[in-house]
Amino acid sequence: MTLGFVVIGCFMLLMMLGVPVTIAIGAGTVAGLFWANLMDFSLVFPQQIIEGASKPALLAIPFFILAGNLMNAVGMTDKIFNFALALIGSVRAGLAYVNVVASLIFAGVSGAATADIAGLGQIEVRAMRKRGYSHEFAAALTVATSLVGPIVPPSISLIVYAWLANESVARLFLAGIVPGVLVAASFIAYIRVMCVFQEMPREEPRSMASIKHAVLQGIPALVAPAIILGAIIFGFATATEAGVIACVYTLLVGLAYRVLTFDMLWNSLKESALLSALIMMIIGASQTMGWLFAFEQVPQAFATGFLDAIDSRALFLVFVVVLLIVIGCFMEATPAKIILLPLLLPAADAFGIDRVQFGMIITLALLIGIATPPMGVGLYLMSAVSGVKFERLSIAVLPLLIPPLVALILITAFPIITLWLPDLVMGPANR
């Protein structure tokens, strides 16, 4: 256990000093290798990085990143927004509801919260400000609703979890549908309550012709999630192949609308390559840390300590939720999962917690950190996109964390929310 404190302590210290996460993970691992007297770390470190980043299951990540960037480039985000606006924009606080629904729809094609903020963020904040919403509320709501993205399939975060937990990607994707809708519904309920206590703008009713046009324009974006998820669930494609399908489909939509240009394609490829390289480097460096923990049997010691100190499933889940929310405030979700899962999974298995449900709990708990200061990456991105100062945005987003926290409590307390759909479609797993 001493090794774990050395590695994680070094990592957290460097993160608080503002060191990039990849370097912080690598430095913490090297410190642990020295502590464990594994002096041949010059061989171990690069070998483990390459092994961690070259897993076939992770090949889906760059394709879904590229699909999200292409969808932003060809204007599918605008069509998603206009579709949601046509359906529910005319009610009181209509644009606030549209923000939630558009994020839910876009989640089905991008799989990343940052893609939601970068793609829909500017459109939503600009439209809400124009209709009379405060700048801070518009930006904070957009950050908060982006949490839906990594839960609803296809999800980059769930692909990483499936790799770490040796779990079925198809089951995890199915398991994310109901929790994703639940999170969206919790935001809608929150906005409805807010309408009781303060005046919210109302949109002018739209003509049937404009509604019909928006629906027809939005159909290609709505079809994409069904194609991606259906291909995986019914065995026509793996997660990686589904990512390729998503890219090809988006390219075809761009060509059909005659909006795709070579510059758009080139910029999307560059942005996707840079982000994919960053994620893979984080995964590779974290793999070395996981290997060191396994070599020194840190997970076994950690799990044993848990079982000695915590004697009930409910207490364990409460501890995990609180721990992950706190960790999410200071660390990005991908490295947090890679570091913590080898420690938490043995204890979760001992308490009989289904790994699919555990994946949903971990994913949503860490996601809340995206919108939580001081390290919330979503807050920094939205501040840059909207022009709202980080400090003001951090304060404005705090009440909007109530809906995902309520959803997280329900998902944790009632496993059926997560497990019902995968058991219905694929049959009960051997648990």
Side-chain angles (χ1 to χ4, degrees):
M1 286 297 287
T2 305
L3 175 67
F5 287 119
V6 170
V7 175
I8 296 176
C10 180
F11 168 75
M12 293 298 294
L13 176 62
L14 292 173
M15 285 290 291
M16 287 188 286
L17 293 174
V19 175
V21 62
T22 308
I23 297 175
I25 292 173
T29 304
V30 169
L33 290 168
F34 270 111
W35 183 270
N37 289 321
L38 295 172
M39 300 307 292
D40 59 344
F41 70 90
S42 59
L43 295 176
V44 172
F45 197 64
Q47 286 174 349
Q48 292 300 318
I49 287 178
I50 293 171
E51 183 179 341
S54 60
K55 301 290 186 184
L58 298 177
L59 192 58
I61 292 175
F63 286 114
F64 280 119
I65 291 173
L66 176 59
N69 286 329
L70 287 172
M71 286 167 192
N72 286 335
V74 302
M76 286 178 71
T77 49
D78 298 83
K79 293 175 177 59
I80 290 171
F81 180 79
N82 290 331
F83 172 79
L85 184 62
L87 290 184
I88 57 173
S90 61
V91 301
R92 186 180 174 190
L95 271 180
Y97 293 125
V98 168
N99 195 314
V100 178
V101 175
S103 293
L104 181 63
I105 296 171
F106 190 66
V109 290
S110 74
T114 51
D116 187 345
I117 295 172
L120 285 169
Q122 297 184 55
I123 302 169
E124 292 171 336
V125 172
R126 184 169 59 247
M128 291 180 73
R129 286 193 66 193
K130 189 175 179 180
R131 268 71 165 196
Y133 293 85
S134 73
H135 201 174
E136 291 82 2
F137 176 75
L141 181 63
T142 304
V143 173
T145 56
S146 72
L147 302 183
V148 177
I151 303 173
V152 176
S155 165
I156 295 169
S157 188
L158 291 181
I159 292 172
V160 173
Y161 176 84
W163 164 63
L164 291 168
N166 193 27
E167 190 56 68
S168 164
V169 173
R171 292 192 72 85
L172 283 164
F173 277 12
L174 280 170
I177 294 175
V178 176
V181 173
L182 177 62
V183 174
S186 67
F187 278 116
I188 290 173
Y190 176 85
I191 295 167
R192 181 68 187 88
V193 172
M194 288 286 293
C195 288
V196 176
F197 297 99
Q198 66 183 70
E199 186 65 27
M200 290 279 191
R202 183 192 297 269
E203 292 291 297
E204 292 294 327
R206 302 181 65 169
S207 66
M208 286 302 298
S210 65
I211 292 175
K212 182 180 178 180
H213 178 74
V215 170
L216 290 175
Q217 289 287 306
I219 286 176
L222 300 177
V223 170
I227 294 174
I228 296 167
L229 190 57
I232 296 173
I233 292 172
F234 296 108
F236 297 115
T238 63
T240 302
E241 292 164 346
V244 177
I245 292 171
C247 293
V248 173
Y249 178 81
T250 307
L251 288 172
L252 293 175
V253 170
L255 291 172
Y257 284 120
R258 298 181 181 180
V259 294
L260 184 65
T261 64
F262 179 79
D263 287 340
M264 284 181 182
L265 180 60
W266 180 247
N267 289 333
S268 297
L269 288 169
K270 285 196 300 183
E271 292 172 9
S272 302
L274 289 172
L275 183 54
S276 299
L278 176 61
I279 292 175
M280 290 302 181
M281 192 62 196
I282 291 172
I283 290 173
S286 302
Q287 162 77 14
T288 311
M289 184 179 289
W291 174 88
L292 178 60
F293 283 165
F295 185 82
E296 294 294 318
Q297 296 188 329
V298 174
Q300 291 86 338
F302 188 81
T304 302
F306 257 127
L307 295 176
D308 290 342
I310 300 175
D311 58 358
S312 74
R313 172 192 172 110
L315 188 60
F316 170 73
L317 287 172
V318 169
F319 177 84
V320 167
V321 167
V322 173
L323 171 69
L324 293 173
I325 290 175
V326 173
I327 291 292
C329 294
F330 300 94
M331 190 187 307
E332 293 181 32
T334 297
K337 280 183 180 178
I338 294 172
I339 293 169
L340 293 175
L341 268 177
L343 307 177
L344 296 174
L345 275 176
D349 292 339
F351 284 111
I353 300 170
D354 189 280
R355 288 195 172 196
V356 172
Q357 185 207 4
F358 199 59
M360 284 300 129
I361 294 170
I362 286 179
T363 299
L364 182 53
L366 288 173
L367 273 177
I368 292 173
I370 290 176
T372 308
M375 295 287 289
V377 64
L379 296 177
Y380 287 103
L381 181 57
M382 177 49 64
S383 179
V385 167
S386 66
V388 178
K389 289 185 177 180
F390 179 82
E391 296 80 6
R392 292 165 60 189
L393 183 58
S394 299
I395 295 172
V397 81
L398 291 178
L400 289 162
L401 296 179
I402 296 173
L405 284 171
V406 170
L408 176 59
I409 292 170
L410 293 174
I411 291 168
T412 305
F414 302 103
I416 192 172
I417 294 174
T418 301
L419 302 178
W420 169 74
L421 191 56
D423 284 353
L424 177 67
V425 175
M426 303 181 68
N430 295 323
R431 301 189 180 103

